[in-house]
Amino acid sequence: MGATSATAAAPARVPFFTQAASFESLWPTTRRHLDQLMDRGKFSHGPKVAELETVLAAWTGARHVIGVNSGTDALVLLLRAAGLRPGDEVIVPAYTFVASATSVVLAGGRPVFADIDPVSYSLDPASVEAVRTDRTRMVMPVHLFHQLADLRALLEVADRHALTVVEDSAEAFGMRWDGVHAGLHGAGGVLSFFPTKTLGAIGDAGAVLTDDPAVADAVAAMRHHGRTGPTVDDFPTINRPTELLGTNSKMDDIQAAVLLAKLDRADQDIARRAELAAGYTERLTGTPGLTLPTVLPRTAATNPVWYVYLIESDHRDGLAEHLARHGVQTETYYPTPLHLQPCFAELGHRRGEFPHAEAACERALALPLYPDLADHHLDLVADLVRGFQQGKHR
Ligand SMILES: *Cc1c(COP(=O)(O)O)cnc(C)c1O
């Protein structure tokens, strides 16, 4: 490193995400998987992807896991495999990552927004009832941050109106409802392995989870140009006619190798995330003008898995700037409610239609939370948050 100029930005004392330290300890296992990969010489949709699918099926209890190249692609392919037809409506929460709804459009459907429950941040069953029409074919519960959507109530609504349930469980790795993993409560669900996710790769990757063999077969074919039957090992399949309109969403084996290494310590990582979340809650309880995340009592046994520690502040933007000035990076999950996203302008929505989603977009802030975070980082972040909020409420 050369001399630093006075104007060069100092590196964040607490980045929003890093896995530099834990990756070092993961490297020997990752290296072993990569060596095997080099020996076999198949780097896309190859043996490490198949191995990951088997291990993930055992870990989640899913009958079928199909590796693809992102959580977004997993959603698009799952919607199509679950029978979405052109113009079908899919009910999606107005507060979620934009891919929950863009995937519906990319699969040929039409997203219909509903409001969220302000405590769990997931689809409000009453709002689902209110926006449903005769053209509604599916509903997409999205499990955000640290807990599942209210599946009992949402499955009841879906049942009443014969709607297919497709779960955006991209954030819900490890979350179970009465022992059943997220994504396995309807036609299927997805996982995202984007680096910051609870099970993160070192690039993009994703998967579809389903218990339905027909859905699994369709996704497996569509990720690979619609090819059915034997996989890449059987090169003559290239010349077979393509029956299903597919795409190229194969998973890279290098990502599968990293994910296999990470799965060995997924339980340990999830436990550390829980410790950190409890540490924030302990330090921040009683802070004026601040709402801390709640673990909701559910009608079935559920387990929080802390992907994101999301707080709400009555001075969110000021708080984020204050933290940034002191070297602490945060993220706004999510900055714009989906009904007001420019890409959905033609749906004709206005501010005020989904008040809980809009409030969350104005108030919510995610604090750094990942296994590499140390306890003294918690002290630093919590002191800054408390100091700022107390200043606003003197
Ligand atoms: C991360 C995420 C996605 C998209 O996953 P990618 O792997 O980034 O494509 C979709 N929905 C939700 C709720 C997510 O958090």
Side-chain angles (χ1 to χ4, degrees):
M1 282 244 262
T4 47
S5 79
T7 50
R13 281 198 280 171
V14 186
F16 184 68
F17 175 76
T18 171
Q19 55 179 346
S22 53
F23 202 73
E24 210 162 305
S25 67
L26 280 170
W27 182 238
T29 322
T30 306
R31 172 88 200 240
R32 188 163 48 75
H33 286 294
L34 289 176
D35 282 344
Q36 291 168 2
L37 185 59
M38 294 300 157
D39 287 345
R40 290 287 296 272
K42 285 193 194 306
F43 304 120
S44 169
H45 196 39
K48 284 296 155 191
V49 173
E51 191 180 337
L52 175 69
E53 290 171 342
T54 305
V55 174
L56 269 175
W59 206 96
T60 59
R63 290 213 186 103
H64 306 276
V65 175
I66 305 101
V68 295
N69 70 14
S70 71
T72 304
D73 271 11
L75 279 172
V76 175
L77 298 182
L78 172 61
L79 286 161
R80 289 181 56 199
L84 192 74
R85 293 173 310 207
D88 281 349
E89 292 179 356
V90 182
I91 298 176
V92 178
Y95 178 71
T96 170
F97 184 56
V98 71
S100 305
T102 50
S103 63
V104 172
V105 179
L106 293 171
R110 183 181 162 88
V112 171
F113 297 118
D115 209 352
I116 54 163
D117 170 84
V119 180
S120 70
Y121 301 109
S122 56
L123 269 178
D124 170 11
S127 185
V128 171
E129 288 277 10
V131 302
R132 192 190 62 85
T133 74
D134 291 342
R135 288 177 307 279
T136 307
R137 186 169 177 83
M138 299 189 182
V139 58
M140 184 190 289
V142 184
H143 311 299
L144 292 180
F145 312 132
H146 68 276
Q147 70 194 328
L148 295 172
D150 186 355
L151 280 171
R152 192 190 59 92
L154 290 169
L155 293 176
E156 227 171 68
V157 177
D159 226 38
R160 189 154 50 242
H161 302 292
L163 304 177
T164 299
V165 172
V166 166
E167 290 168 80
D168 181 347
S169 43
E171 300 184 5
F173 175 71
M175 297 183 201
R176 290 179 169 84
W177 182 282
D178 238 356
V180 179
H181 197 278
L184 300 172
H185 297 269
V190 303
L191 290 177
S192 164
F193 307 123
F194 183 72
T196 63
K197 299 276 155 87
T198 304
L199 180 66
I202 53 170
D204 281 300
V208 169
L209 308 180
T210 182
D211 285 337
D212 182 336
V215 169
D217 285 350
V219 171
M222 287 189 292
R223 72 173 158 180
H224 189 212
H225 306 289
R227 278 179 212 153
T228 51
T231 60
V232 280
D233 280 328
D234 182 14
F235 285 110
T237 56
I238 289 170
N239 300 321
R240 251 211 293 255
T242 300
E243 275 154 40
L244 247 157
L245 188 74
T247 182
N248 175 9
S249 186
K250 303 193 291 292
M251 187 193 277
D252 285 337
D253 285 66
I254 191 170
Q255 301 304 343
V258 171
L259 291 167
L260 281 164
K262 276 208 154 174
L263 267 166
D264 283 349
R265 38 179 275 184
D267 288 322
Q268 185 189 325
D269 284 351
I270 286 171
R272 178 62 185 153
R273 285 173 172 274
E275 240 172 55
L276 291 164
Y280 272 135
T281 298
E282 194 188 308
R283 287 163 175 78
L284 291 172
T285 296
T287 307
L290 205 69
T291 307
L292 299 183
T294 319
V295 177
L296 285 170
R298 296 299 202 195
T299 51
T302 58
N303 56 316
V305 173
W306 292 87
Y307 164 54
V308 164
Y309 191 89
L310 195 86
I311 59 173
E312 288 189 30
S313 163
D314 49 0
H315 293 85
R316 193 267 313 273
D317 293 341
L319 175 60
E321 279 164 33
H322 177 73
L323 290 166
R325 263 201 309 279
H326 290 84
V328 175
Q329 287 178 343
T330 56
E331 278 282 348
T332 306
Y333 284 46
Y334 294 97
T336 310
L338 298 199
H339 62 293
L340 302 179
Q341 284 280 7
C343 65
F344 297 124
E346 67 175 40
L347 298 177
H349 288 290
R350 277 163 296 105
R351 186 168 292 281
E353 278 183 78
F354 304 109
H356 294 311
E358 292 168 21
C361 289
E362 282 161 22
R363 293 173 49 85
L365 191 68
L367 301 180
L369 183 84
Y370 41 89
D372 279 14
L373 200 72
D375 288 352
H376 70 267
H377 292 139
L378 286 186
D379 292 334
L380 173 70
V381 177
D383 283 351
L384 286 166
V385 171
R386 238 183 308 105
F388 177 85
Q389 290 293 134
Q390 278 163 356
K392 291 287 172 195
H393 287 267
R394 237 190 280 280

Coordinates of all heavy atoms in Angstrom, one line a residue, residues 115-184:
D115 N -50.6 -5.4 0.7 CA -49.9 -4.7 1.8 C -49.3 -5.8 2.8 O -49.7 -7.0 2.7 CB -50.7 -3.7 2.6 CG -49.9 -2.6 3.2 OD1 -48.6 -2.7 3.2 OD2 -50.5 -1.6 3.7
I116 N -48.4 -5.4 3.6 CA -47.7 -6.3 4.6 C -48.3 -6.1 6.0 O -48.9 -5.1 6.3 CB -46.2 -6.0 4.6 CG1 -45.9 -4.5 4.9 CG2 -45.6 -6.5 3.3 CD1 -44.5 -4.3 5.4
D117 N -48.0 -7.1 6.8 CA -48.2 -6.9 8.2 C -47.0 -6.1 8.8 O -45.9 -6.5 8.5 CB -48.3 -8.3 8.9 CG -48.2 -8.2 10.4 OD1 -49.3 -8.1 11.0 OD2 -47.1 -8.3 11.0
P118 N -47.3 -5.0 9.5 CA -46.2 -4.1 9.9 C -45.2 -4.7 10.9 O -44.1 -4.2 11.1 CB -46.9 -2.9 10.5 CG -48.2 -3.4 10.9 CD -48.6 -4.5 10.0
V119 N -45.5 -5.8 11.5 CA -44.6 -6.4 12.5 C -43.7 -7.5 11.8 O -42.5 -7.6 12.0 CB -45.3 -7.0 13.7 CG1 -44.4 -7.6 14.7 CG2 -46.2 -5.9 14.4
S120 N -44.4 -8.4 11.1 CA -43.6 -9.5 10.4 C -43.0 -9.1 9.1 O -42.2 -9.7 8.5 CB -44.5 -10.7 10.2 OG -45.4 -10.5 9.2
Y121 N -43.5 -8.0 8.5 CA -43.1 -7.4 7.2 C -43.5 -8.4 6.1 O -43.1 -8.2 4.9 CB -41.6 -7.2 7.1 CG -41.1 -6.2 8.1 CD1 -40.3 -6.7 9.2 CD2 -41.3 -4.9 8.0 CE1 -39.8 -5.8 10.1 CE2 -40.8 -4.0 8.9 CZ -40.1 -4.4 10.0 OH -39.6 -3.5 10.9
S122 N -44.4 -9.4 6.3 CA -44.8 -10.2 5.2 C -46.2 -10.1 4.9 O -47.0 -9.4 5.6 CB -44.4 -11.7 5.5 OG -45.0 -12.0 6.7
L123 N -46.7 -10.7 3.8 CA -48.0 -10.5 3.3 C -49.1 -10.5 4.4 O -49.1 -11.4 5.2 CB -48.4 -11.6 2.3 CG -48.1 -11.4 0.8 CD1 -48.4 -12.7 0.1 CD2 -48.8 -10.2 0.2
D124 N -50.0 -9.5 4.3 CA -51.1 -9.5 5.2 C -52.3 -10.2 4.6 O -52.7 -9.9 3.5 CB -51.5 -8.0 5.5 CG -52.8 -7.8 6.2 OD1 -53.3 -8.8 6.7 OD2 -53.3 -6.7 6.2
P125 N -52.7 -11.3 5.2 CA -53.8 -12.2 4.6 C -55.0 -11.4 4.3 O -55.6 -11.7 3.2 CB -54.1 -13.2 5.7 CG -52.9 -13.2 6.6 CD -52.3 -11.9 6.5
A126 N -55.4 -10.4 5.1 CA -56.6 -9.6 4.8 C -56.4 -8.8 3.5 O -57.3 -8.6 2.7 CB -56.9 -8.6 5.9
S127 N -55.2 -8.3 3.3 CA -54.9 -7.5 2.1 C -54.9 -8.4 0.8 O -55.3 -8.0 -0.3 CB -53.5 -6.8 2.2 OG -53.3 -6.0 1.1
V128 N -54.4 -9.7 1.0 CA -54.5 -10.6 -0.1 C -55.9 -10.8 -0.5 O -56.2 -10.8 -1.7 CB -53.8 -12.0 0.4 CG1 -54.1 -13.1 -0.7 CG2 -52.3 -11.8 0.6
E129 N -56.8 -11.0 0.4 CA -58.2 -11.2 0.1 C -58.7 -9.9 -0.6 O -59.5 -10.1 -1.6 CB -59.1 -11.3 1.4 CG -58.9 -12.6 2.2 CD -59.8 -13.7 1.6 OE1 -60.4 -13.5 0.5 OE2 -59.8 -14.8 2.3
A130 N -58.3 -8.8 -0.2 CA -58.8 -7.5 -0.8 C -58.4 -7.3 -2.2 O -59.1 -6.7 -3.0 CB -58.4 -6.3 0.1
V131 N -57.2 -7.7 -2.6 CA -56.7 -7.4 -4.0 C -56.9 -8.6 -5.0 O -56.7 -8.4 -6.2 CB -55.2 -7.1 -4.0 CG1 -54.9 -5.9 -3.1 CG2 -54.3 -8.3 -3.6
R132 N -57.4 -9.7 -4.4 CA -57.6 -10.9 -5.3 C -58.7 -10.6 -6.3 O -59.7 -9.9 -6.1 CB -58.0 -12.1 -4.4 CG -58.0 -13.4 -5.0 CD -58.7 -14.4 -4.1 NE -60.1 -14.1 -3.9 CZ -61.1 -14.4 -4.7 NH1 -60.9 -15.1 -5.8 NH2 -62.3 -14.1 -4.4
T133 N -58.5 -11.2 -7.5 CA -59.6 -11.0 -8.6 C -59.8 -12.4 -9.2 O -59.2 -13.4 -8.8 CB -59.2 -10.1 -9.7 OG1 -58.2 -10.8 -10.6 CG2 -58.6 -8.8 -9.2
D134 N -60.7 -12.5 -10.2 CA -60.9 -13.8 -10.8 C -59.7 -14.3 -11.6 O -59.7 -15.5 -12.0 CB -62.1 -13.7 -11.8 CG -63.4 -13.5 -11.0 OD1 -63.4 -13.8 -9.8 OD2 -64.4 -13.0 -11.6
R135 N -58.8 -13.4 -12.0 CA -57.7 -13.8 -12.7 C -56.5 -14.2 -11.9 O -55.4 -14.5 -12.4 CB -57.2 -12.6 -13.7 CG -58.2 -12.4 -14.9 CD -57.8 -11.3 -15.7 NE -57.6 -10.0 -14.9 CZ -58.6 -9.2 -14.5 NH1 -59.8 -9.5 -14.9 NH2 -58.3 -8.2 -13.8
T136 N -56.6 -14.0 -10.5 CA -55.5 -14.4 -9.7 C -55.3 -15.9 -9.7 O -56.3 -16.7 -9.4 CB -55.8 -13.9 -8.2 OG1 -56.1 -12.5 -8.3 CG2 -54.5 -14.1 -7.3
R137 N -54.1 -16.3 -9.9 CA -53.8 -17.8 -10.0 C -52.8 -18.2 -8.9 O -52.9 -19.4 -8.5 CB -53.2 -18.0 -11.4 CG -53.0 -19.5 -11.7 CD -52.7 -19.7 -13.1 NE -52.4 -21.0 -13.4 CZ -53.4 -21.9 -13.6 NH1 -54.6 -21.6 -13.6 NH2 -53.0 -23.2 -13.9
M138 N -52.0 -17.3 -8.4 CA -51.0 -17.7 -7.5 C -50.8 -16.6 -6.4 O -51.2 -15.4 -6.6 CB -49.6 -17.9 -8.1 CG -49.6 -19.0 -9.2 SD -47.9 -19.4 -9.8 CE -48.3 -20.6 -11.0
V139 N -50.2 -17.0 -5.3 CA -49.9 -16.0 -4.3 C -48.5 -16.4 -3.8 O -48.1 -17.5 -3.8 CB -50.9 -16.1 -3.1 CG1 -51.0 -17.4 -2.4 CG2 -50.5 -15.0 -2.0
M140 N -47.7 -15.3 -3.6 CA -46.2 -15.5 -3.3 C -45.9 -14.9 -1.9 O -45.6 -13.8 -1.7 CB -45.4 -14.8 -4.3 CG -43.9 -15.0 -4.1 SD -42.8 -14.0 -5.1 CE -43.1 -14.7 -6.7
P141 N -46.0 -15.8 -0.8 CA -45.5 -15.3 0.5 C -44.0 -15.1 0.4 O -43.3 -15.9 -0.3 CB -45.8 -16.5 1.4 CG -46.8 -17.4 0.7 CD -46.5 -17.2 -0.8
V142 N -43.5 -14.0 0.9 CA -42.1 -13.7 0.9 C -41.6 -13.8 2.4 O -42.2 -13.1 3.2 CB -41.7 -12.4 0.3 CG1 -40.2 -12.2 0.2 CG2 -42.3 -12.3 -1.1
H143 N -40.6 -14.5 2.7 CA -40.1 -14.6 4.1 C -39.0 -13.7 4.2 O -37.9 -13.9 3.7 CB -39.7 -16.1 4.4 CG -40.7 -17.1 4.0 ND1 -42.0 -17.1 4.6 CD2 -40.7 -18.1 3.1 CE1 -42.7 -18.1 4.0 NE2 -41.9 -18.8 3.2
L144 N -39.1 -12.6 5.0 CA -38.1 -11.6 5.1 C -37.3 -11.6 6.4 O -37.9 -11.7 7.5 CB -38.7 -10.2 4.8 CG -39.2 -9.9 3.4 CD1 -39.8 -8.5 3.3 CD2 -38.2 -10.1 2.4
F145 N -36.0 -11.4 6.3 CA -35.2 -11.0 7.4 C -34.9 -12.1 8.4 O -33.8 -12.6 8.4 CB -35.7 -9.7 8.1 CG -36.0 -8.6 7.2 CD1 -37.3 -8.0 7.3 CD2 -35.2 -8.3 6.1 CE1 -37.6 -7.0 6.4 CE2 -35.5 -7.3 5.2 CZ -36.7 -6.6 5.3
H146 N -35.8 -12.4 9.3 CA -35.4 -13.5 10.3 C -36.6 -14.4 10.6 O -36.4 -15.4 11.4 CB -35.0 -12.8 11.6 CG -36.1 -12.1 12.3 ND1 -36.4 -10.8 12.0 CD2 -36.9 -12.5 13.3 CE1 -37.4 -10.4 12.8 NE2 -37.7 -11.4 13.6
Q147 N -37.7 -14.2 10.0 CA -38.8 -15.2 10.3 C -39.7 -15.4 9.1 O -39.8 -14.6 8.2 CB -39.6 -14.8 11.5 CG -40.4 -13.6 11.3 CD -40.9 -13.0 12.7 OE1 -41.1 -13.8 13.6 NE2 -41.1 -11.7 12.7
L148 N -40.5 -16.5 9.1 CA -41.4 -16.9 8.1 C -42.6 -16.0 8.1 O -43.0 -15.5 9.1 CB -41.8 -18.4 8.3 CG -40.7 -19.4 8.1 CD1 -41.2 -20.8 8.5 CD2 -40.2 -19.4 6.7
A149 N -43.2 -15.9 7.0 CA -44.5 -15.2 6.9 C -45.5 -16.1 7.7 O -45.2 -17.2 8.0 CB -45.0 -15.2 5.4
D150 N -46.7 -15.5 7.9 CA -47.7 -16.3 8.6 C -48.3 -17.3 7.7 O -49.4 -17.1 7.1 CB -48.8 -15.3 9.1 CG -49.8 -16.0 10.1 OD1 -49.7 -17.2 10.2 OD2 -50.7 -15.3 10.6
L151 N -47.7 -18.5 7.6 CA -48.0 -19.5 6.6 C -49.4 -20.1 6.9 O -50.2 -20.4 6.0 CB -47.0 -20.6 6.6 CG -45.7 -20.2 5.8 CD1 -44.7 -21.3 6.0 CD2 -46.1 -20.1 4.3
R152 N -49.8 -20.2 8.2 CA -51.1 -20.8 8.4 C -52.2 -20.0 7.8 O -53.0 -20.5 7.1 CB -51.3 -21.0 9.9 CG -52.5 -21.9 10.3 CD -52.9 -21.8 11.7 NE -53.3 -20.4 12.1 CZ -54.5 -19.9 12.1 NH1 -55.5 -20.6 11.7 NH2 -54.7 -18.6 12.4
A153 N -52.2 -18.7 8.1 CA -53.2 -17.8 7.5 C -53.1 -17.7 6.0 O -54.2 -17.7 5.3 CB -53.1 -16.4 8.2
L154 N -51.9 -17.6 5.5 CA -51.8 -17.5 4.0 C -52.2 -18.7 3.3 O -52.8 -18.7 2.2 CB -50.4 -17.0 3.7 CG -50.0 -15.6 4.1 CD1 -48.5 -15.3 4.0 CD2 -50.9 -14.6 3.3
L155 N -51.8 -19.9 3.8 CA -52.2 -21.1 3.2 C -53.8 -21.3 3.2 O -54.3 -21.8 2.3 CB -51.5 -22.3 3.8 CG -50.0 -22.4 3.6 CD1 -49.4 -23.6 4.4 CD2 -49.6 -22.5 2.2
E156 N -54.4 -20.8 4.3 CA -55.8 -20.9 4.4 C -56.5 -20.0 3.3 O -57.4 -20.5 2.6 CB -56.2 -20.3 5.7 CG -57.2 -21.1 6.5 CD -57.3 -20.6 7.9 OE1 -57.9 -19.4 8.1 OE2 -56.9 -21.3 8.8
V157 N -56.0 -18.8 3.1 CA -56.5 -17.9 2.0 C -56.3 -18.6 0.7 O -57.2 -18.6 -0.2 CB -55.8 -16.5 2.0 CG1 -56.3 -15.7 0.9 CG2 -56.0 -15.8 3.3
A158 N -55.1 -19.1 0.4 CA -54.8 -19.8 -0.8 C -55.8 -20.9 -1.1 O -56.3 -21.1 -2.2 CB -53.4 -20.2 -0.8
D159 N -56.0 -21.7 -0.1 CA -56.9 -22.9 -0.1 C -58.3 -22.5 -0.5 O -58.9 -23.1 -1.4 CB -56.9 -23.5 1.2 CG -56.7 -25.0 1.1 OD1 -55.9 -25.4 0.3 OD2 -57.4 -25.7 1.9
R160 N -58.8 -21.4 0.2 CA -60.1 -21.0 0.0 C -60.4 -20.6 -1.5 O -61.5 -20.7 -2.0 CB -60.4 -19.8 0.9 CG -61.8 -19.3 1.0 CD -62.2 -18.6 2.3 NE -61.3 -17.5 2.7 CZ -60.6 -17.6 3.8 NH1 -60.6 -18.6 4.6 NH2 -59.8 -16.6 4.1
H161 N -59.4 -20.0 -2.1 CA -59.5 -19.5 -3.5 C -58.8 -20.3 -4.5 O -58.6 -19.9 -5.7 CB -59.1 -18.1 -3.6 CG -59.8 -17.2 -2.6 ND1 -61.2 -16.9 -2.7 CD2 -59.4 -16.6 -1.5 CE1 -61.6 -16.1 -1.7 NE2 -60.5 -15.9 -0.9
A162 N -58.3 -21.5 -4.1 CA -57.6 -22.4 -5.0 C -56.4 -21.7 -5.7 O -56.2 -21.9 -6.9 CB -58.6 -23.0 -6.1
L163 N -55.7 -21.0 -4.9 CA -54.5 -20.3 -5.5 C -53.3 -21.2 -5.3 O -53.1 -21.8 -4.2 CB -54.2 -19.0 -4.8 CG -55.4 -18.0 -4.8 CD1 -55.0 -16.7 -4.0 CD2 -55.8 -17.6 -6.2
T164 N -52.4 -21.3 -6.2 CA -51.1 -22.0 -6.1 C -50.2 -21.1 -5.2 O -50.1 -19.9 -5.5 CB -50.5 -22.2 -7.5 OG1 -51.4 -23.1 -8.2 CG2 -49.1 -23.0 -7.3
V165 N -49.5 -21.7 -4.3 CA -48.6 -21.0 -3.4 C -47.1 -21.2 -3.9 O -46.7 -22.4 -4.0 CB -48.7 -21.5 -1.9 CG1 -47.6 -20.9 -1.1 CG2 -50.1 -21.1 -1.4
V166 N -46.5 -20.1 -4.2 CA -45.1 -20.2 -4.6 C -44.3 -19.3 -3.6 O -44.7 -18.1 -3.5 CB -44.9 -19.7 -6.1 CG1 -43.4 -19.4 -6.3 CG2 -45.4 -20.7 -7.1
E167 N -43.4 -19.9 -2.9 CA -42.7 -19.1 -1.8 C -41.4 -18.4 -2.3 O -40.6 -19.1 -2.9 CB -42.4 -20.0 -0.6 CG -43.6 -20.5 0.2 CD -43.1 -21.6 1.1 OE1 -42.6 -21.3 2.2 OE2 -43.3 -22.8 0.8
D168 N -41.3 -17.1 -2.1 CA -40.0 -16.5 -2.2 C -39.3 -16.7 -0.9 O -39.4 -15.9 0.0 CB -40.1 -15.0 -2.6 CG -38.7 -14.4 -2.8 OD1 -37.7 -15.1 -2.4 OD2 -38.6 -13.3 -3.3
S169 N -38.6 -17.8 -0.8 CA -37.9 -18.2 0.4 C -36.4 -17.9 0.2 O -35.5 -18.5 0.9 CB -38.1 -19.6 0.8 OG -38.1 -20.5 -0.4
A170 N -36.1 -16.9 -0.7 CA -34.7 -16.6 -1.0 C -33.8 -16.3 0.3 O -32.6 -16.6 0.3 CB -34.6 -15.4 -2.0
E171 N -34.5 -15.7 1.3 CA -33.8 -15.3 2.5 C -33.9 -16.3 3.6 O -33.4 -16.1 4.7 CB -34.3 -13.9 3.0 CG -34.2 -12.8 2.0 CD -34.6 -11.4 2.5 OE1 -35.0 -11.3 3.7 OE2 -34.6 -10.5 1.7
A172 N -34.7 -17.4 3.3 CA -35.2 -18.2 4.5 C -34.5 -19.5 4.7 O -35.0 -20.4 5.2 CB -36.7 -18.4 4.3
F173 N -33.2 -19.6 4.2 CA -32.4 -20.8 4.5 C -32.4 -21.1 6.0 O -32.1 -20.2 6.8 CB -31.0 -20.6 4.0 CG -30.1 -21.7 4.3 CD1 -30.2 -22.9 3.6 CD2 -29.1 -21.6 5.3 CE1 -29.4 -24.0 3.9 CE2 -28.3 -22.7 5.6 CZ -28.4 -23.9 4.9
G174 N -32.8 -22.3 6.3 CA -32.8 -22.8 7.7 C -34.1 -22.5 8.5 O -34.2 -23.0 9.6
M175 N -35.0 -21.8 7.9 CA -36.3 -21.5 8.6 C -37.3 -22.6 8.4 O -37.5 -23.0 7.2 CB -36.9 -20.2 8.2 CG -36.0 -18.9 8.5 SD -36.9 -17.4 7.9 CE -35.5 -16.3 7.8
R176 N -37.9 -23.1 9.4 CA -38.8 -24.2 9.3 C -40.1 -23.8 10.1 O -40.1 -23.2 11.1 CB -38.2 -25.5 9.9 CG -37.1 -26.0 9.1 CD -36.5 -27.3 9.7 NE -35.6 -28.0 8.8 CZ -34.3 -27.7 8.6 NH1 -33.8 -26.7 9.3 NH2 -33.6 -28.4 7.8
W177 N -41.2 -24.4 9.5 CA -42.5 -24.2 10.1 C -43.0 -25.6 10.5 O -43.2 -26.4 9.6 CB -43.5 -23.6 9.1 CG -44.9 -23.3 9.6 CD1 -45.9 -24.2 9.7 CD2 -45.4 -22.1 10.0 NE1 -47.0 -23.6 10.2 CE2 -46.8 -22.3 10.4 CE3 -44.9 -20.8 10.1 CZ2 -47.6 -21.3 10.8 CZ3 -45.8 -19.8 10.6 CH2 -47.1 -20.0 10.9
D178 N -43.1 -25.9 11.8 CA -43.4 -27.3 12.2 C -42.5 -28.3 11.6 O -43.0 -29.4 11.1 CB -44.9 -27.6 11.8 CG -45.7 -27.9 13.1 OD1 -45.1 -28.0 14.2 OD2 -46.9 -28.1 13.0
G179 N -41.3 -28.0 11.5 CA -40.3 -29.0 10.9 C -40.2 -29.0 9.4 O -39.3 -29.6 8.9
V180 N -41.1 -28.2 8.7 CA -41.0 -28.2 7.3 C -40.3 -27.0 6.8 O -40.6 -25.9 7.2 CB -42.4 -28.3 6.6 CG1 -42.3 -28.2 5.1 CG2 -43.1 -29.5 7.1
H181 N -39.2 -27.2 6.0 CA -38.4 -26.0 5.6 C -39.1 -25.1 4.7 O -40.0 -25.5 4.0 CB -37.1 -26.6 4.8 CG -36.0 -25.6 4.7 ND1 -36.0 -24.6 3.8 CD2 -34.9 -25.4 5.5 CE1 -34.9 -23.8 3.9 NE2 -34.2 -24.3 4.9
A182 N -38.8 -23.8 4.8 CA -39.3 -22.8 3.9 C -39.2 -23.2 2.5 O -38.2 -23.8 2.1 CB -38.5 -21.5 4.1
G183 N -40.3 -22.9 1.7 CA -40.2 -23.3 0.3 C -41.0 -24.6 0.0 O -41.2 -24.9 -1.2
L184 N -41.3 -25.3 1.1 CA -41.9 -26.6 0.9 C -43.4 -26.7 1.4 O -43.9 -27.7 1.7 CB -41.1 -27.7 1.6 CG -39.6 -27.8 1.1 CD1 -38.8 -28.7 1.9 CD2 -39.6 -28.2 -0.4

